[in-house]
């Protein structure tokens, strides 16, 4: 029995050294596969990173283009706003001028009505010089004097201190 145990232990040693070589070869093969797998994984990772970088570059270019376009739009809108503000200021000045003219015309009409006793003709020369056409200027028809006074105030007996008003045409550009 002793010889069988010696034989079996000798064959186990031979088998062990053979299996160690196989084990080493298997480990080397796994190590090579792992290295190849790691290299492939690193290559895929680099490719993903490069694609992400390319996508970000495209996005950055698009955002720069959009930003430039928005800047141009802001400039156009600002210029339009300034133009509208200028036009609004001109219209306000014109409105004030026309309001002042209307007030002046209403004063003139009030003065004419008050000076003639409620009408264009009425009281004789004691009412500011607005009597009948015969009293004021002589001959003409009944309608000559008010029209003449309204359109040519210098021909009337009154010449008040009425302001000289600017025309709305002065504000046209």
């Amino acid at each position: 029995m002793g010889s069988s145990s010696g034989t079996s232990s000798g064959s186990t040693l031979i088998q062990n050294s053979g299996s160690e070589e196989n084990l080493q070869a298997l480990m080397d093969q796994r190590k090579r596969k792992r290295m190849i797998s790691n290299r492939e994984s690193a290559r895929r990772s680099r490719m993903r990173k490069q694609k992400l970088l390319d996508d970000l570059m495209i996005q950055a270019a698009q955002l720069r283009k959009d930003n430039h376009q928005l800047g141009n739009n802001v400039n156009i809108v600002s210029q339009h706003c300034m133009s509208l503000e200028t036009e609004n200021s001109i219209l306000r000045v014109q409105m004030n001028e026309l309001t002042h003219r209307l007030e002046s015309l209403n004063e003139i009409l009030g003065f004419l009505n008050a000076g003639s006793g409620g009408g264009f003709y009425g009281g004789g020369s004691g009412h500011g010089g607005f009597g009948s056409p015969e009293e004021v200027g002589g001959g003409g028809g009944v309608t000559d004097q008010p029209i003449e006074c309204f359109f040519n105030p210098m021909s009337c007996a009154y010449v008040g201190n009425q302001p000289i008003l600017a025309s709305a045409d002065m504000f046209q550009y």
Side-chain angles (χ1 to χ4, degrees), residues 46-142:
R46 284 191 303 274
M47 289 176 64
R48 278 193 306 269
K49 186 177 177 181
Q50 185 63 44
K51 184 178 182 337
L52 179 63
L53 182 62
D54 292 344
D55 290 346
L56 288 174
M57 294 293 278
I58 290 169
Q59 185 180 10
Q62 182 63 41
L63 289 172
R64 275 195 223 68
K65 181 181 173 186
D66 291 349
N67 191 26
H68 181 70
Q69 183 65 37
L70 289 172
N72 287 342
N73 290 349
V74 165
N75 288 338
I76 290 169
V77 169
S78 294
Q79 289 174 353
H80 187 65
C81 182
M82 287 175 43
S83 173
L84 289 175
E85 286 176 355
T86 301
E87 184 179 352
N88 196 16
S89 295
I90 290 169
L91 290 173
R92 278 194 179 112
V93 168
Q94 289 176 345
M95 182 192 69
N96 288 336
E97 180 64 29
L98 290 173
T99 300
H100 185 26
R101 277 186 180 183
L102 180 61
E103 289 171 356
S104 296
L105 289 174
N106 283 334
E107 285 178 18
I108 291 170
L109 286 175
F111 184 70
L112 289 173
N113 285 335
S116 63
F120 281 114
Y121 311 109
S125 61
H127 294 286
F130 294 104
S132 67
E134 293 79 23
E135 290 176 342
V136 173
V142 173

